[in-house]
C-alpha cells in the first residue's frame, strides 16, 4: 500500500507561482505513470499533467507552457511547478501514482487527499 500526501497549496494572486509536492510513503520507482489531477467546484476531475515511466510528459492544453511535472524517484516525491497562475486554475489538486498488476492483469493506482489551490486577487 502506497500512501500519498500533497502539500504546497494555498492562496496566490493571478500571475503568481506555486510548487505542489506529493510525498509517497512507498517506492514509486516501479510505477507506470505519475500524474496530477484537479477538480473545481461543480466540475469533473481532470488530468493536469502526467509523466510515464519512460519519461514522456503530457499536459492539459490549458496549462501547457505554464506547468511542469517532475519527480525525484530516489526520494519518492512528485512535483508540479505552476507559473503564471490564473483564476481558472483554482481547484483541489490531487496526486496519482499508477502501477500495473500482473496478478489482476490491469492497472491500479493510489490517490492523495488533495491540496487546495486558490488563485484570486
Amino acid at each position: 500500500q502506497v500512501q500519498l500526501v500533497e502539500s504546497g497549496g494555498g492562496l496566490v494572486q493571478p500571475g503568481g507561482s506555486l510548487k505542489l509536492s506529493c510525498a509517497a510513503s512507498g517506492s514509486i520507482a516501479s510505477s507506470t505513470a505519475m500524474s496530477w489531477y484537479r477538480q473545481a467546484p461543480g466540475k469533473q476531475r481532470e488530468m493536469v499533467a502526467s509523466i510515464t515511466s519512460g519519461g514522456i510528459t503530457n499536459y492539459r492544453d490549458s496549462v501547457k507552457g505554464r506547468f511542469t511535472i517532475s519527480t525525484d524517484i530516489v526520494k519518492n516525491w512528485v512535483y508540479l511547478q505552476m507559473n503564471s497562475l490564473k483564476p481558472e486554475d483554482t481547484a483541489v489538486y490531487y496526486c496519482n501514482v499508477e502501477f500495473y498488476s500482473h496478478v489482476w492483469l490491469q492497472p491500479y493506482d493510489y490517490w492523495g487527499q488533495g491540496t487546495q489551490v486558490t488563485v484570486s486577487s
Side-chain angles (χ1 to χ4, degrees), residues 20-91:
L20 305 183
S21 299
C22 174
S25 62
S27 176
I28 59 175
S30 61
S31 67
T32 55
M34 291 162 281
S35 306
W36 285 95
Y37 287 75
R38 68 186 182 188
Q39 186 167 25
K43 297 183 179 180
Q44 295 183 346
R45 184 173 298 185
E46 60 186 24
M47 192 275 289
V48 177
S50 66
I51 181 168
T52 69
S53 59
I56 300 175
T57 58
N58 188 29
Y59 297 93
R60 188 174 190 85
D61 287 343
S62 61
V63 309
K64 287 182 178 178
R66 299 188 298 121
F67 291 10
T68 303
I69 186 171
S70 62
T71 64
D72 187 328
I73 301 300
V74 175
K75 295 182 178 180
N76 296 314
W77 284 64
V78 185
Y79 307 98
L80 183 67
Q81 178 66 50
M82 305 185 294
N83 299 323
S84 301
L85 285 163
K86 304 175 181 180
E88 51 263 44
D89 294 319
T90 297

Side-chain angles (χ1 to χ4, degrees), residues 89-108:
D89 294 319
T90 297
V92 176
Y93 284 70
Y94 299 90
C95 179
N96 175 269
V97 179
E98 182 181 276
F99 299 83
Y100 182 80
S101 173
H102 293 278
V103 175
W104 296 98
L105 301 179
Q106 62 183 7
Y108 65 97

